[in-house]
Amino acid sequence: MAEPGRPKKRILVTGGSGLVGKAIKKLVTEGGAGRHEEEWIFLSSKEGDLTDAGQTKALFERFRPTHVIHLAAMVGGLFRNIKYNLDFWRNNVHINDNVLHTAYEFGVEKVVSCLSTCIFPDKTTYPIDETMIHSGPPHDSNFGYSYAKRMIDVQNRAYFAQHGCRFTAVIPTNVFGPHDNFNIEDGHVLPGLIHKAYLAKKNGTPLTVWGTGKPRRQFIYSLDLARLFLWVLREYDEVEPIILSVGEEDEVSIREAAECIVGAMDFKGELHFDTTKLDGQFKKTASNAKLKKYLPDFQFTPFHQAVKETCDWFSTNYDGARK
């Protein structure tokens, strides 16, 4: 029961200072998506170490959430994953177990965790869907992160089976937008390319893309994903996860993404592809049929518009951006 004078929902967002957390915060504080019965608390890693069970419990004691959006994770791009698979496994397993078990102990009504399409089997048929998460090993490059994220789905089903908890998860495709990590070595492909394009334009040098440019990805704008997170929190009642993605027809190659960035940045130099670098998975096409069944009229921001807004944000906020 809500305490007198307190909102009926106290929503704790772990990883609240990251890409998706910032997008949700923007929607509920500036975008008119907040509701008077909701109080939002956005946590950053500075407020507590979620790999530590004691610190996690102290945060729940302090904020007493009724709902949790669990975004916190150790994340990184292809090359960082290859180098630190064990660290990705251990840190994420600790974070996820601490958050979910503490949520159970504190009687949290609902937890929505964030997975990733990289958790799906490497050898599979396409498009992938929500039923295929555990049907084979993930890609070797990020098996530590992938298995740790898969375990959230296992835990959600176990907490429901044993305790009736309404814990669920979403599976977004490649997320990008303002407040991303634009680090060229450790970041994901799109923000890394945006940073490279910015520097190439500034220095008058060619823009070099790692790999052949042939792999294909579905990209989702962080503000679109934030809108869908609010829907999942408020309306989606399944324990089974749901893929949050643009349609299969909106998949783009890395080359097409790079060309879109070149246009958005008004970069006039040469575009090179360094084929000595690894490509990673060729594709991981996901079906958004389940999402479309629930929300047939949901409109995604066009890719070129979302890229332009992200490039503009990065150029304007270059000094303070994560890089």
Side-chain angles (χ1 to χ4, degrees), residues 150-185:
R150 282 187 187 186
M151 290 307 104
I152 291 179
D153 178 54
V154 173
Q155 287 174 285
N156 286 346
R157 288 188 278 127
Y159 276 108
F160 179 72
Q162 196 165 325
H163 300 297
C165 297
R166 287 172 64 231
F167 297 172
T168 190
V170 302
I171 310 171
T173 44
N174 294 59
V175 193
F176 73 99
H179 303 283
D180 207 338
N181 177 4
F182 293 86
N183 186 288
I184 290 169
E185 298 289 331

Side-chain angles (χ1 to χ4, degrees), residues 51-66:
T51 64
D52 181 279
Q55 290 189 46
T56 306
K57 189 170 183 178
L59 287 167
F60 276 71
E61 192 81 61
R62 178 178 164 194
F63 294 112
R64 294 277 166 179
T66 61

Side-chain angles (χ1 to χ4, degrees), residues 149-320:
K149 284 291 191 181
R150 282 187 187 186
M151 290 307 104
I152 291 179
D153 178 54
V154 173
Q155 287 174 285
N156 286 346
R157 288 188 278 127
Y159 276 108
F160 179 72
Q162 196 165 325
H163 300 297
C165 297
R166 287 172 64 231
F167 297 172
T168 190
V170 302
I171 310 171
T173 44
N174 294 59
V175 193
F176 73 99
H179 303 283
D180 207 338
N181 177 4
F182 293 86
N183 186 288
I184 290 169
E185 298 289 331
D186 289 340
H188 288 109
V189 59
L190 213 65
L193 283 175
I194 289 170
H195 191 178
K196 280 185 174 183
Y198 177 93
L199 293 176
K201 181 180 178 181
K202 182 181 171 188
N203 299 327
T205 54
L207 170 57
T208 301
V209 180
W210 290 346
T212 64
K214 292 176 182 175
R216 303 185 68 78
R217 296 289 182 266
Q218 287 155 296
F219 293 101
I220 181 169
Y221 192 33
S222 58
L223 290 166
D224 292 341
L225 181 59
R227 288 191 287 144
L228 290 170
F229 254 105
L230 295 184
W231 168 76
V232 170
L233 182 77
R234 294 164 178 167
E235 309 291 340
Y236 180 73
D237 278 331
E238 294 186 40
V239 171
E240 297 297 320
I242 184 167
I243 290 170
L244 303 181
S245 175
V246 298
E248 298 162 51
E249 68 281 2
D250 293 315
E251 193 173 54
V252 297
S253 70
I254 302 304
R255 175 181 285 276
E256 289 165 335
E259 288 167 351
C260 191
I261 291 165
V262 163
M265 283 285 197
D266 196 29
F267 174 70
K268 304 296 187 189
E270 291 181 57
L271 181 61
H272 288 165
F273 291 84
D274 180 356
T275 55
T276 66
K277 299 285 190 186
L278 292 173
D279 269 340
Q281 258 177 299
F282 175 67
K283 68 174 186 173
K284 36 190 178 177
T285 314
S287 167
N288 71 351
K290 184 174 180 178
L291 174 64
K292 283 294 185 189
K293 189 174 145 195
Y294 275 107
L295 296 176
D297 300 321
F298 186 86
Q299 295 294 311
F300 289 94
T301 307
F303 180 64
H304 64 88
Q305 179 187 330
V307 167
K308 180 75 170 83
E309 289 178 13
T310 306
C311 288
D312 289 350
W313 181 89
F314 181 68
S315 298
T316 304
N317 296 278
Y318 182 80
D319 290 340

Side-chain angles (χ1 to χ4, degrees), residues 34-45:
R35 295 181 178 177
H36 66 87
E37 73 273 17
E38 295 173 346
E39 179 186 351
W40 289 82
I41 302 139
F42 292 87
L43 281 184
S44 75
S45 54

